[in-house]
Amino acid sequence: GRMDDCLRVHGGRLVNLALVSTRLRDAAGVTDAVTLPIDTEAGVSCGAVVEGTASLDDVRRHLAAELPPWSWPRVLLAVPALPRLSNGKVDRQACRRLLDASVPV
């Protein structure tokens, strides 16, 4: 993947956000997903917003089978539909606000 799609998380490990989003979309019941960097008490990590009917427990089990633990989203939200811009693309800023509201302060 491209380096600008990557994030260095706690422990110095590199996480490819595009790959995490792809693996999320592969989960049963997930129709779309976006993964973004978030600030947590432990430092920079990633969070994800998924669209679809999958349970978050099922999505977490899928990720556990597909990705190493350091690349799992620390915040995972499910919404019926991702916020979209007028051109149909995912509104990443709106997704970031959703994630920011869910991160414990």
Side-chain angles (χ1 to χ4, degrees), residues 48-80:
V49 182
V50 296
E51 171 184 283
T53 58
S55 77
L56 291 180
D57 288 336
D58 289 343
V59 172
R60 286 185 180 98
R61 276 191 290 278
H62 175 77
L63 287 180
E66 297 288 323
L67 296 171
W70 63 83
S71 62
W72 300 343
R74 298 300 172 248
V75 176
L76 185 60
L77 298 174
V79 294

Side-chain angles (χ1 to χ4, degrees), residues 4 10 28 38 42 44 47 50 67 72-73 80 85 92 101:
D4 58 350
H10 176 261
I38 59 171
V44 176
V50 296
L67 296 171
W72 300 343
L85 299 169
R92 296 172 66 82

Side-chain angles (χ1 to χ4, degrees), residues 2 30 42 70 82 97:
R2 295 173 30 166
V30 174
W70 63 83
L82 288 173
R97 287 190 295 274

